[in-house]
Amino acid sequence: MDYSTDFQIKELLHQQTYLSNGELKSWKGKKDEVYSTISSSEEYKPTLLGSVPHMDEATAVEVLDFACDAYGKGQGIWPTMKVADRIECMEKFVSLMKPKRAEVVKLLMWEIGKSLPDSEKEFDRTIEYINDTIEDYKQLDRNSAKFSKRDGVNAHIRRGPLGVVLCLGPYNYPLNETFALLIPALIMGNTVIFKPAKHGVLLISPLLEAFRDSFPKGAVNVIYGRGREVAAPIMKSGRIDVLALIGNSKSAIALQDQHPHKNRLRLVLGLEAKNPAIILPDADLDLTIDECISGTLSFNGQRCTALKIIYIHEDIQEEFNKRFAARVDTLKLGNPWEEGAKLTPLPEPDKPQYIQDLIKDAQEKGASILNKKGGEITDNFIFPAVLFPVTHEMRVYKEEQFGPVIPLKPFNDIQELLNEISNSNYGQQISLFGSDINELAPLIDTLVNLVCRVNLNSSCQRGPDVFPFTGRKDSAVGTLSVHDALRSFSIRTFVASKDNAYNNEILKKLLESKTSNFVSTEYIL
Ligand code: G3H
């Protein structure tokens, strides 16, 4: 491992404040230390990065009060503000966020072990997401800057906010995925309470002042602490209108269960997945192997969109298995800033052991490790094992491994395989490798009803972020994309009036005087 770099931790980051009601309030209570699983010395030792507030229930509920006040049951400054003014706040935020790139990227590497190019990509992709969201909102506003008439009724239809949003993101994309919830929620006029993920929490610190300085007080609030101590009481209050979470269904259900008025609670959830690859006998193996390597092992397989099981046709399994296993062993393991490092330390200290348990279980039930380095374990990593043949009794078949282990399952009857996939609890995406259109066509026609994105000769992925990101069954609630997220965090609301001279005169005056922020046919260019 290479330690002599510009990316050394020179000073600790002790986050002593939280963002509430437009102020960075000082936290005097308990703190949680933040460690990286990356060692700063040859002799392995987790590295202390700093600390964050361990907030309590009372403070969390106080923050909730401020978020509710800022929403003002729909009467607050932020939800009633002109679209153009909300956009201006968001533009200011992006301009303040951009100079923080280096700080955030460095923390992404240390906190979650993401490689330098991928950490930079996460930051840049987030900036692009915000800019695209602003443009899409302008278009939405342009499309609404008109009246519709039907059956003698004039209607001015727009989208309005839903209320107070509790926003919780995952550790694997602590910036991008969290902001892909928070930004659309905010721009649509909702007020937000955001709690960073357990890993990937300090990287929000450089952005706190930007939040404080860009939005009216209480519109965005940032809290720290354990979910059950801060998020659960917030939900229990019944004052949260939208739960926006990317994580697993267990935590989503636990939080929903706290809410006393379930009919009022809207959900925007990105949950677990076990995306399969199906490799047909006529697949181009060079391309398939490339895609399966990135699909299974980008960010060590810690992506909800990762390929988590590969179904290989028996006719080509011998060649595929040999070549794929050899390729896995060529991947370079290194610290995130090391040139060419494709595999990096795992941020969860107990993950190597968990993956090892999956491997042992599979071996006991008849699978072998196909690659020489597979299963080699260190303090903060376990080298990806290619396991074959995997059967449905094995834990690695059933559990979402979210880490570096690759189950291969042979098949020869495609209908049996389709039945197996349709019985799965997951339904996010699939990768389909092959070239014969007579084979592919009926498969595509079925698979689009089992998942929400069929990737043809390509690995699974969320991006580009303008495309819909969703899932069936246990994999998601609601759809995210730049365009869809604006809809998920808003509701259609409108002003209607009978088409007569009296009403039309009032509408005319409303429009001419520009006294209403809602009734307006002006639009932003
Ligand atoms: O963890 C799930 C992410 O949404 C995956 O995003 O496919 O762009 O890596 P990605």
Side-chain angles (χ1 to χ4, degrees):
M1 299 264 182
D2 169 21
Y3 302 102
S4 56
T5 82
D6 295 344
F7 298 110
Q8 281 303 329
I9 294 293
K10 297 194 182 90
E11 52 188 81
L12 301 185
L13 200 174
H14 292 295
Q15 179 59 45
Q16 322 244 23
T17 57
Y18 60 99
L19 181 61
S20 167
N21 202 30
E23 281 173 51
L24 285 170
K25 294 191 178 147
S26 155
W27 173 254
K28 302 263 185 273
K30 217 169 122 186
K31 302 273 174 56
D32 287 322
E33 289 188 324
V34 178
Y35 280 92
S36 169
T37 56
I38 301 173
S39 181
S40 314
S41 55
E42 286 297 340
E43 194 189 332
Y44 181 77
K45 195 158 110 5
T47 303
L48 180 65
L49 301 178
S51 61
V52 289
H54 182 116
M55 287 172 62
D56 54 27
E57 175 170 344
T59 320
V61 170
E62 186 186 282
V63 175
L64 171 68
D65 286 341
F66 288 124
C68 292
D69 288 351
Y71 191 68
K73 298 198 164 97
Q75 300 183 64
I77 293 174
W78 185 244
T80 54
M81 200 182 252
K82 266 196 183 135
V83 172
D85 294 340
R86 280 209 296 264
I87 287 179
E88 206 174 297
C89 294
M90 197 56 85
E91 284 171 341
K92 179 170 181 191
F93 177 72
V94 190
S95 70
L96 296 175
M97 179 176 166
K98 277 186 190 161
K100 304 291 181 185
R101 184 177 190 260
E103 268 175 272
V104 174
V105 165
K106 181 172 168 181
L107 286 164
L108 267 169
M109 292 192 287
W110 278 95
E111 285 198 85
I112 62 160
K114 190 169 275 191
S115 71
L116 175 60
D118 284 352
S119 296
E120 289 174 334
K121 193 164 140 207
E122 176 158 355
F123 189 91
D124 297 341
R125 176 179 174 183
T126 306
I127 296 283
E128 193 182 328
Y129 191 95
I130 303 175
N131 286 332
D132 286 349
T133 298
I134 292 172
E135 284 313 308
D136 213 276
Y137 193 24
K138 284 184 188 168
Q139 187 57 46
L140 185 66
D141 192 57
R142 280 179 212 126
N143 296 344
S144 321
K146 62 178 187 209
F147 279 77
S148 314
K149 184 152 73 172
R150 177 77 197 228
D151 297 340
V153 179
N154 283 315
H156 184 57
I157 308 170
R158 290 183 173 276
R159 298 199 74 93
L162 293 164
V164 182
V165 179
L166 178 63
C167 180
L168 306 163
Y171 82 78
N172 63 336
Y173 281 90
L175 184 72
N176 182 261
E177 295 236 280
T178 314
F179 278 38
L181 298 172
L182 189 152
I183 298 296
L186 200 52
I187 207 168
M188 291 310 291
N190 303 284
T191 62
V192 180
I193 302 169
F194 154 43
K195 187 181 99 58
K198 185 169 171 219
H199 305 290
V201 52
L202 284 172
L203 59 91
I204 300 300
S205 297
L207 305 176
L208 288 179
E209 287 177 1
F211 277 125
R212 179 196 62 192
D213 297 342
S214 307
F215 299 101
K217 63 176 193 170
V220 55
N221 306 276
V222 182
I223 59 169
Y224 298 91
R226 305 286 290 273
R228 91 177 80 86
E229 290 166 38
V230 292
I234 286 176
M235 290 299 287
K236 211 171 179 173
S237 73
R239 299 165 79 194
I240 288 296
D241 300 288
V242 186
L243 173 64
L245 176 148
I246 297 197
N248 60 60
S249 50
K250 211 171 131 209
S251 19
I253 291 167
L255 285 168
Q256 284 170 62
D257 281 348
Q258 299 286 331
H259 202 289
H261 314 296
K262 292 202 177 40
N263 55 314
R264 289 197 196 175
L265 180 69
R266 291 191 177 229
L267 301 171
V268 180
L269 309 176
L271 304 172
E272 56 269 30
K274 186 117 180 152
N275 292 343
I278 300 178
I279 307 176
L280 299 172
D282 65 342
D284 174 331
L285 274 197
D286 290 335
L287 181 151
T288 303
I289 289 168
D290 284 350
E291 293 295 317
C292 285
I293 289 286
S294 65
T296 53
L297 291 176
S298 290
F299 194 34
N300 312 307
Q302 302 166 120
R303 295 160 59 230
C304 61
T305 48
L307 287 175
K308 299 201 179 92
I309 183 157
I310 295 179
Y311 291 100
I312 176 75
H313 195 280
E314 284 178 359
D315 288 355
I316 48 160
Q317 79 188 28
E318 203 179 319
E319 190 184 350
F320 175 84
N321 290 3
K322 196 166 84 203
R323 287 174 57 189
F324 182 72
R327 268 290 289 286
V328 171
D329 277 354
T330 65
L331 298 176
K332 179 176 168 185
L333 167 63
N335 278 331
W337 44 83
E338 281 175 43
E339 183 83 33
K342 294 283 181 213
L343 302 168
T344 48
L346 303 172
E348 296 173 289
D350 47 2
K351 199 46 135 344
Q353 184 58 53
Y354 167 70
I355 298 286
Q356 190 174 57
D357 291 347
L358 292 184
I359 296 172
K360 275 197 193 142
D361 171 78
Q363 285 176 309
E364 279 162 21
K365 292 171 183 156
S368 305
I369 300 179
L370 298 186
N371 53 326
K372 289 200 188 75
K373 295 190 193 169
E376 284 176 6
I377 194 161
T378 59
D379 294 294
N380 59 13
F381 195 69
I382 180 159
F383 202 89
V386 181
L387 294 172
F388 181 86
V390 161
T391 59
H392 62 268
E393 296 85 19
M394 298 175 187
R395 285 178 58 195
V396 75
Y397 175 83
K398 293 180 256 196
E399 296 174 28
E400 185 196 25
Q401 65 267 40
F402 217 80
V405 58
I406 310 165
L408 303 185
K409 190 166 186 282
F411 76 95
N412 60 20
D413 182 334
I414 193 71
Q415 188 52 52
E416 272 177 25
L417 178 54
L418 288 177
N419 295 345
E420 185 174 326
I421 293 171
S422 65
N423 284 328
S424 151
N425 289 330
Y426 309 104
Q428 192 198 61
Q429 299 188 19
I430 199 159
S431 289
L432 179 60
F433 295 94
S435 57
D436 177 354
I437 57 158
N438 296 317
E439 281 270 330
L440 292 173
L443 283 178
I444 290 172
D445 293 352
T446 298
L447 290 170
V448 287
N449 292 345
L450 306 186
V451 296
C452 288
R453 173 165 164 166
V454 175
N455 298 278
L456 192 55
N457 294 310
S458 315
S459 60
C460 298
Q461 61 179 48
R462 173 180 177 149
D465 291 326
V466 292
F467 291 156
F469 176 55
T470 183
R472 299 170 187 273
K473 300 190 250 183
D474 288 348
S475 290
V477 177
T479 301
L480 293 170
S481 75
V482 168
H483 185 73
D484 292 298
L486 293 177
R487 283 152 185 82
S488 298
F489 286 105
S490 62
I491 189 164
R492 301 232 288 169
T493 180
F494 65 109
V495 177
S497 60
K498 296 233 169 93
D499 183 25
N500 56 41
Y502 179 70
N503 284 337
N504 292 354
E505 186 55 26
I506 293 174
L507 285 178
K508 200 166 151 242
K509 281 191 192 147
L510 270 171
L511 291 171
E512 280 167 5
S513 64
K514 300 182 185 172
T515 39
S516 166
N517 288 345
F518 188 93
V519 182
S520 165
T521 48
E522 283 195 351
Y523 54 85
I524 317 154
L525 287 172

